[in-house]
Amino acid sequence: MKQGNVTRRNFLAGSAAAAALAGLAGCSAGPSGEKDAAASLPSADKYPIDPDGSDVQAKWTSEEVRDGWTRYTNPDGGAELGVMDTSKIIQVDGLAFKDLNGNGKLDFYEDWRQSVDDRSKALAEMMEWEDCLKLMWHGGASGGSAVPGGSSDPDDISLVEQGSRAGVSRLESDDESYASDISWINKVQEACEKSSYGIPYLNSTDQYQLFGIPDNVTLASAMDKDVWRKAGMWLGRAWRATGVRCELGPQVDVYSSPIGCRLSGSVSEDPALNRDFTQAFSAGLQSTWGDDEATDDQGWGKDSVAAMLKHYVGEGCSEGGRNDHSSTGAYNVFPGDNFNAHLVPFLDGGMKLDSKTEQMASVMPCYGIAYSEDEKYGENVGSGYNKRNLSILRNAGWDGMFVTDWGILTSQTYGVLDLTEPERYQKMIDAGIDQYGGGFDMEVGKEAYKLLQDELGEDDALERVRESARRITKVMMDVDLFENPYSDRTAAKEVLESTAATDFGIEASEKTIVMLKNKGNVIAKGGPSGKPKCYVPQHLVTGGGFFSATPAHFEPALPVDMLADTFETVTDEVAAEGTGTSTNFMTGEVSTGIFQESDCTRLGADQLADCEYAIVRIGGPKDPNDGVQGGSGFGMAEGPVEYLPITLQYEPYTASTAREVSIGGDTLADGTKENRSYRGKTQSASNLSDLELVKSTREKMPNGKIIVIVETTRPMVFAELEPYCDVILQSFSMQTHPVDQAYANIIVGKTEPSGLLAFQQPKDMETVEANDEDVPRDLDCYTDSEGNTYDFCFGLNWSGVIDDDRTKTYKAAPLTKPETVEI
């Protein structure tokens, strides 16, 4: 650590020519300057300010960081600065500032003592239209690469050098990759530091799970705001430490359609539950929490990550439950006239956060068309083009950053296919979008800006793109990118190895497991007496996420060491090598020696005769097609398409009561409307073997106590499964440790189950077909052999049906509109 002691000459070394100051009406003290009276700050007309002379003593200190940059620390809670080039530091009033534009003076937007609102406005007013337009792209990534624009070379930062200033990194911050994450983002930020305005790079990420913290749809079952806040806090700390300043989430769509393909990425079917989750999780993410508790909310600070709520609005109402990444899932429908209920998580949630950051920093519109023949919900175009619906948030007083979902200019062009890319971009800007997600194409942008000038005139067109530049740079300033965009691997290692975080992962997992059935109190405090024998069959883990090449393999239902103190365990025999094959989605490479169900030899009835218990782990019914067969690509479907039902049961299902004529549909070449009905079609789950494993275990152990762990991605029809089970533990989690430990702690009676259903479980598929896609909690629910109905908010503990403050709160009738904003 060294004390600052530099001269004016030192500060001016390497400076560029002076730049003009844009006018500013007024200013107020920023978060870092709250200890000083606003009146003591320079007024806007005093800028640019010359650095101190050599006679002024520096108040700051500095240190070189292992990753190649230098940290400057100002006193009394002042800003921490980070630079690669130390000549970028100048001193004013004894304090250190960054000379971002290299003019050798302190400009208003460079003064961290001023408010971020005023600073972002001042910067935007300095910029010409082309400078603003370069900010209005949020680049993509390809195949897990962290490269903006999708380059396969991690050393290629050419788009950054061309002006790209935002993009998504999908490198996960674990023990193996975080150092390369940091090396990459620091290289990107160094290139930005050399640019004319010194505008940094807003690195974002899709949500992924760390520390064993369950994903959002699983967390919903805790129905506990403090759990949600801490989940956002710990995940945000890890992302921030490794160079991410914005989460592309959380996804908070109200999934009132139980067959929705993307339901497992969201929260629940209930507007109030999604609202409360949004308030708490986003608060945990965006605020810096000094002592990890809700009592020490420091607002925007050193651990803050911006939340980008998605997908606005109505994705949970996709007709047929289909995936809106393809045009086959382009239509969100509202047969129950319940559109306004789907605004609740955004207006009552995102704009009313449980933190000093107050509101979500950003919002991502969904792909789908909020469809109505009379255009009641705006023009029948994708949500990134729907001016009516985007304006609802603006009219409610939200001034954050709108970022489109990826590819709506080039692939998910729903309702605007006949427009050129520049025309789409211009329409998108006119609708209120600030950044396009998924690319960086200034040629398209320039053509779009000409169209904007033709529409608005030169002055108003410039004002419009400056408005977006202001919103974008405000988000950057809120997460301290202008002050210190660099990451420190030593600090990241400390966060990623936090025992407090992993302890919370186990705690959160325990609170999200729902006990649906407990016949004869098989699960009770303290667990079974003695050390009974327990069958723990192997289950086939198919591996994978969408881009994963992880091969299928067998694992016992739970690690036997977690059960060793309570049970004597036996399990099945697995072949030394698999006999199946697997194809890597990304490369097309075929691998052999992959395990499949036939590679496991199950124990027989004779071998299980002295077993009192069995613990079986299965997945809920997995639909193989997600409602569509044929076509290709994530955008417009190509080739013949067959629409199919999405099944929530294992056995074959024929949709004899489905809607005869679909609500949404494209206009065909002959002028008629396409009918996407799947009435009369049949579908079967791809994992019928999971149900068969439970049934065969019951047959082999007719008097045994069968404990079934079922991990689901949607609600399911329990009628096929429940009669064969003594205990059912349900979770959306698809992780191993620490959720394995959480399951084990509940089964052995160490932890009392407390999770509650965040979705209704239907009695049959007919009630699913009768569901209005936009109306939550309108199913007839399954009732089991113990007389318990698997309704929203149901769950068991050691004493029976849970009845507490959570159930009293969330069992209220579903909200049909926002409560805090008049629509």
Side-chain angles (χ1 to χ4, degrees), residues 16-35:
L21 169 71
L24 193 68
C27 62
S28 60
S32 299
E34 288 177 351
K35 294 183 179 180

Side-chain angles (χ1 to χ4, degrees), residues 228 254 268 270-277 344-345 809-810 813-815:
W228 300 334
V254 175
S268 84
D270 186 72
L273 183 58
N274 286 30
R275 172 201 66 199
D276 290 356
F277 178 91
V344 169
T809 297
Y810 292 115
L815 295 174

Side-chain angles (χ1 to χ4, degrees), residues 286-301:
Q286 290 194 166
S287 264
T288 292
W289 304 90
D291 61 3
D292 300 350
E293 300 300 326
T295 55
D296 194 8
D297 176 6
Q298 299 176 9
W300 293 109

Side-chain angles (χ1 to χ4, degrees), residues 606-666:
D606 291 345
Q607 295 164 299
L608 298 177
D610 58 347
C611 285
E612 296 182 46
Y613 291 81
I615 301 173
V616 186
R617 189 169 181 173
I618 62 172
K622 297 177 184 177
D623 189 281
N625 300 108
D626 281 343
V628 180
Q629 191 165 17
S632 63
F634 280 155
M636 302 304 296
E638 299 174 4
V641 171
E642 180 182 11
Y643 292 97
L644 298 169
I646 293 175
T647 183
L648 303 183
Q649 66 182 45
Y650 296 101
E651 299 284 356
Y653 161 65
T654 299
S656 57
T657 62
R659 188 178 287 142
E660 289 190 77
V661 178
S662 64
I663 296 172
D666 295 342

